[in-house]
Amino acid sequence: MARVIPIIIGVALIIYAFIDAARTDSSKMPARISKPVWLLLIAIVPVLGALIWLFFKYQYIFKADYTRPSGSANPFSRPKKPTGPVAPDDDPDFLARLEARNRRRAYEQRMREEEGLEPLGDDEDENETSNENEDEQDRGEGGLYGGR
């Protein structure tokens, strides 16, 4: 078992370095070496090539004048997720449209009562055309799933 662990670590290191080199943008390759040369170096000189890749890829961290980016405790950590609205009920624009729609419906119901018409009940839906128009308006404004 003790003989297998270094082999597994070496293979994992090679796979990680190869995928990292393959996914790195060609304009950001370290040491001014092209992407195909890096991939060949990692594949032909297995563990040493992967270690060289990692050294050159992250060499800026080892320099004395390196300062960590603000707000990041770990240079290898993933960027934080956006802090904007996640769900529709967290979106202020959606909530404003919903409030405006509710006020308009309450106003229309008051007007119907004042005119002596039968008010719409909670379980009764408005006519089909007004629902379709509202749906079209929502889609135009972004709606629940529309683009902004």
Side-chain angles (χ1 to χ4, degrees), residues 21-140:
R23 292 186 66 186
T24 301
D25 188 25
S26 296
S27 64
K28 296 181 181 179
M29 296 305 273
R32 296 183 185 154
I33 299 174
S34 66
K35 185 184 280 194
V37 174
W38 272 115
L39 294 174
L40 283 173
L41 179 69
I42 293 169
I44 293 175
V45 186
V47 176
L48 187 60
L51 289 173
I52 292 171
W53 164 258
L54 292 175
F55 174 76
F56 280 111
K57 172 86 186 239
Y58 298 109
Q59 72 181 358
Y60 65 92
I61 295 173
F62 302 115
K63 292 183 180 178
D65 61 344
Y66 172 72
T67 57
R68 289 183 180 164
S70 62
S72 176
N74 184 355
F76 300 105
S77 66
R78 293 183 180 173
K80 293 183 179 180
K81 293 183 179 179
T83 58
V86 178
D89 60 343
D90 293 338
D91 186 2
D93 294 333
F94 174 77
L95 293 174
R97 286 193 317 269
L98 188 64
E99 180 66 24
R101 182 185 301 164
N102 289 341
R103 286 184 182 181
R104 188 187 75 237
R105 285 184 181 165
Y107 174 76
E108 289 173 355
Q109 187 170 0
R110 270 186 282 144
M111 298 316 284
R112 289 179 64 87
E113 289 173 355
E114 287 176 5
E115 293 174 1
L117 298 175
E118 187 175 313
L120 294 174
D122 291 337
D123 57 338
E124 295 178 17
D125 291 334
E126 294 182 21
N127 60 18
E128 298 282 326
T129 58
S130 66
N131 283 341
E132 289 174 6
N133 291 338
E134 288 176 5
D135 291 341
E136 289 174 9
Q137 289 174 353
D138 285 346
R139 281 189 217 112

Side-chain angles (χ1 to χ4, degrees), residues 7-27:
I7 294 171
I8 292 174
I9 291 173
V11 169
L13 180 68
I14 294 165
I15 291 172
Y16 172 78
F18 193 84
I19 291 173
D20 190 31
R23 292 186 66 186
T24 301
D25 188 25
S26 296
S27 64

